[in-house]
Coordinates of all heavy atoms in Angstrom, one line a residue:
Chain Z
Y330 N -6.8 31.9 10.6 CA -6.7 31.1 11.8 C -6.7 32.1 13.0 O -7.4 31.9 14.0 CB -5.5 30.2 11.8 CG -5.4 29.4 13.1 CD1 -6.3 28.2 13.3 CD2 -4.6 29.7 14.1 CE1 -6.2 27.5 14.5 CE2 -4.5 29.0 15.3 CZ -5.4 27.9 15.5 OH -5.3 27.2 16.6
E331 N -5.8 33.1 12.9 CA -5.7 34.0 14.0 C -7.0 34.8 14.2 O -7.4 35.1 15.4 CB -4.6 35.0 13.7 CG -3.2 34.4 14.1 CD -2.0 35.0 13.4 OE1 -2.2 36.0 12.7 OE2 -0.9 34.5 13.6
K332 N -7.7 35.0 13.1 CA -9.0 35.8 13.3 C -10.1 34.9 13.8 O -10.8 35.3 14.7 CB -9.4 36.3 11.9 CG -10.6 37.2 11.9 CD -10.7 37.9 10.5 CE -12.2 38.3 10.3 NZ -12.5 38.5 8.9
H333 N -10.2 33.7 13.3 CA -11.4 32.8 13.7 C -11.0 31.7 14.7 O -11.9 31.0 15.2 CB -11.9 32.1 12.5 CG -12.4 33.1 11.4 ND1 -13.6 33.8 11.5 CD2 -11.8 33.5 10.2 CE1 -13.7 34.6 10.4 NE2 -12.7 34.4 9.6
Q334 N -9.8 31.6 15.0 CA -9.3 30.5 15.9 C -9.8 29.1 15.5 O -10.0 28.2 16.3 CB -9.9 30.7 17.4 CG -9.2 31.9 18.1 CD -7.7 31.8 18.1 OE1 -7.1 30.8 18.6 NE2 -7.0 32.8 17.5
C335 N -9.9 29.0 14.2 CA -10.1 27.7 13.6 C -9.7 27.7 12.1 O -9.5 28.8 11.6 CB -11.5 27.2 13.7 SG -12.7 28.2 12.8
L336 N -9.5 26.6 11.5 CA -9.0 26.5 10.2 C -10.2 26.6 9.2 O -11.4 26.4 9.6 CB -8.3 25.2 9.9 CG -7.0 25.1 10.6 CD1 -6.4 23.7 10.4 CD2 -6.0 26.1 10.2
P337 N -10.0 27.0 8.0 CA -11.1 26.9 7.0 C -11.7 25.5 7.0 O -10.9 24.5 7.2 CB -10.4 27.1 5.6 CG -9.1 27.8 6.0 CD -8.7 27.4 7.3
L338 N -13.0 25.4 6.9 CA -13.6 24.1 7.0 C -13.3 23.2 5.8 O -13.3 23.6 4.7 CB -15.1 24.3 7.1 CG -16.0 23.1 7.4 CD1 -15.7 22.5 8.8 CD2 -17.5 23.4 7.2
R339 N -13.1 21.9 6.1 CA -12.8 20.9 5.0 C -14.1 20.7 4.1 O -14.0 20.6 2.9 CB -12.4 19.6 5.6 CG -12.0 18.6 4.5 CD -11.4 17.3 5.1 NE -11.2 16.3 4.2 CZ -10.2 16.1 3.4 NH1 -9.2 16.9 3.5 NH2 -10.1 15.1 2.6
G340 N -15.2 20.6 4.8 CA -16.5 20.6 4.1 C -17.0 19.3 3.7 O -18.1 19.2 3.1
S341 N -16.4 18.2 4.1 CA -16.9 16.9 3.8 C -17.6 16.3 5.0 O -17.3 16.6 6.2 CB -15.8 15.9 3.4 OG -14.8 15.8 4.4
V342 N -18.7 15.5 4.7 CA -19.5 14.9 5.8 C -19.4 13.4 5.6 O -19.7 12.9 4.5 CB -20.9 15.4 5.7 CG1 -21.8 14.8 6.8 CG2 -21.0 16.9 5.7
P343 N -19.0 12.7 6.7 CA -18.9 11.2 6.5 C -20.3 10.6 6.3 O -21.3 11.3 6.6 CB -18.3 10.7 7.8 CG -18.6 11.8 8.8 CD -18.6 13.1 8.0
D344 N -20.4 9.4 5.7 CA -21.7 8.8 5.5 C -22.3 8.5 6.9 O -21.6 8.1 7.8 CB -21.5 7.6 4.7 CG -22.9 7.0 4.2 OD1 -23.8 7.9 4.0 OD2 -23.1 5.8 4.2
M345 N -23.6 8.7 7.0 CA -24.3 8.3 8.2 C -25.7 8.0 7.9 O -26.2 8.4 6.9 CB -24.2 9.5 9.2 CG -24.8 10.8 8.7 SD -24.4 12.2 9.8 CE -22.7 12.5 9.4
K346 N -26.3 7.3 8.8 CA -27.7 6.9 8.6 C -28.6 8.2 8.5 O -28.5 9.0 9.4 CB -28.2 6.0 9.6 CG -29.7 5.6 9.4 CD -30.0 4.2 9.9 CE -31.3 3.7 9.3 NZ -32.0 2.8 10.2
A347 N -29.3 8.4 7.5 CA -30.2 9.6 7.3 C -31.0 9.4 6.1 O -30.7 8.6 5.2 CB -29.3 10.8 7.2
Q348 N -32.1 10.1 6.0 CA -32.9 10.2 4.7 C -32.0 10.9 3.7 O -31.2 11.8 4.0 CB -34.1 11.1 4.9 CG -35.1 10.5 5.9 CD -35.8 9.3 5.3 OE1 -35.7 9.0 4.2 NE2 -36.5 8.6 6.2
S349 N -32.1 10.4 2.4 CA -31.3 11.0 1.4 C -31.3 12.5 1.4 O -30.3 13.2 1.3 CB -31.7 10.5 0.0 OG -31.8 9.1 0.0
K350 N -32.6 13.0 1.4 CA -32.7 14.5 1.2 C -32.1 15.2 2.4 O -31.4 16.2 2.2 CB -34.2 14.8 1.2 CG -34.6 16.0 0.4 CD -36.1 16.2 0.3 CE -36.4 17.6 0.7 NZ -37.8 17.8 1.0
V351 N -32.3 14.7 3.6 CA -31.7 15.4 4.8 C -30.2 15.3 4.7 O -29.5 16.3 5.0 CB -32.2 14.6 6.1 CG1 -31.4 15.1 7.3 CG2 -33.7 14.8 6.2
Y352 N -29.6 14.2 4.3 CA -28.2 14.1 4.2 C -27.6 15.1 3.2 O -26.6 15.7 3.5 CB -27.8 12.6 3.9 CG -26.3 12.4 3.7 CD1 -25.5 12.3 4.9 CD2 -25.7 12.5 2.5 CE1 -24.1 12.1 4.8 CE2 -24.3 12.3 2.4 CZ -23.5 12.2 3.5 OH -22.2 12.0 3.4
V353 N -28.3 15.2 2.1 CA -27.8 16.1 1.0 C -27.9 17.5 1.5 O -26.9 18.3 1.3 CB -28.5 15.9 -0.3 CG1 -28.2 17.0 -1.3 CG2 -28.2 14.5 -0.9
Q354 N -28.9 17.9 2.3 CA -29.0 19.2 2.8 C -27.9 19.5 3.8 O -27.2 20.5 3.8 CB -30.4 19.4 3.6 CG -31.6 19.6 2.7 CD -32.9 19.6 3.5 OE1 -32.9 19.1 4.7 NE2 -33.9 20.0 2.9
L355 N -27.6 18.5 4.6 CA -26.5 18.6 5.6 C -25.2 18.8 4.9 O -24.4 19.7 5.2 CB -26.5 17.4 6.5 CG -25.6 17.4 7.7 CD1 -26.0 18.5 8.7 CD2 -25.6 16.1 8.4
Q356 N -25.0 18.0 3.9 CA -23.8 18.1 3.1 C -23.6 19.5 2.5 O -22.6 20.1 2.5 CB -23.9 17.1 1.9 CG -22.8 16.1 1.8 CD -23.0 15.2 0.6 OE1 -24.0 15.2 -0.1 NE2 -22.1 14.3 0.4
N357 N -24.7 20.0 2.0 CA -24.7 21.4 1.4 C -24.3 22.4 2.4 O -23.7 23.4 2.1 CB -26.0 21.7 0.7 CG -26.0 20.9 -0.7 OD1 -25.0 20.6 -1.2 ND2 -27.2 20.7 -1.1
I358 N -24.8 22.3 3.6 CA -24.5 23.3 4.7 C -23.0 23.3 4.9 O -22.4 24.4 5.0 CB -25.3 22.9 6.0 CG1 -26.8 23.2 5.8 CG2 -24.7 23.7 7.1 CD1 -27.7 22.7 6.9
Y359 N -22.4 22.1 5.0 CA -21.0 22.0 5.2 C -20.2 22.6 4.0 O -19.2 23.3 4.1 CB -20.5 20.6 5.5 CG -20.7 20.3 7.0 CD1 -21.9 19.8 7.5 CD2 -19.6 20.4 7.9 CE1 -22.1 19.5 8.8 CE2 -19.8 20.1 9.2 CZ -21.0 19.6 9.7 OH -21.1 19.4 11.0
K360 N -20.7 22.2 2.8 CA -20.0 22.6 1.5 C -20.0 24.1 1.4 O -19.1 24.8 1.0 CB -20.7 22.0 0.3 CG -20.1 20.6 0.0 CD -20.7 20.2 -1.4 CE -20.6 18.7 -1.6 NZ -21.5 18.2 -2.7
T361 N -21.2 24.7 1.7 CA -21.4 26.1 1.5 C -20.4 26.9 2.5 O -19.8 27.8 2.1 CB -22.8 26.5 1.8 OG1 -23.7 25.8 1.0 CG2 -23.1 28.0 1.6
K362 N -20.3 26.4 3.7 CA -19.4 27.0 4.7 C -18.0 26.9 4.2 O -17.2 27.9 4.3 CB -19.6 26.3 6.0 CG -18.6 26.8 7.1 CD -19.0 28.2 7.6 CE -18.2 28.5 8.9 NZ -17.1 29.4 8.7

Side-chain angles (χ1 to χ4, degrees):
Chain Z
Y330 181 78
E331 279 160 4
K332 186 169 159 202
H333 301 285
Q334 289 305 303
C335 64
L336 293 174
L338 186 67
R339 181 174 172 89
S341 58
V342 182
D344 191 35
M345 59 189 72
K346 181 149 193 207
Q348 296 289 348
S349 307
K350 209 176 128 197
V351 170
Y352 179 80
V353 171
Q354 281 172 346
L355 189 64
Q356 238 181 355
N357 283 334
I358 290 171
Y359 276 86
K360 273 190 203 163
T361 306
K362 173 76 166 105

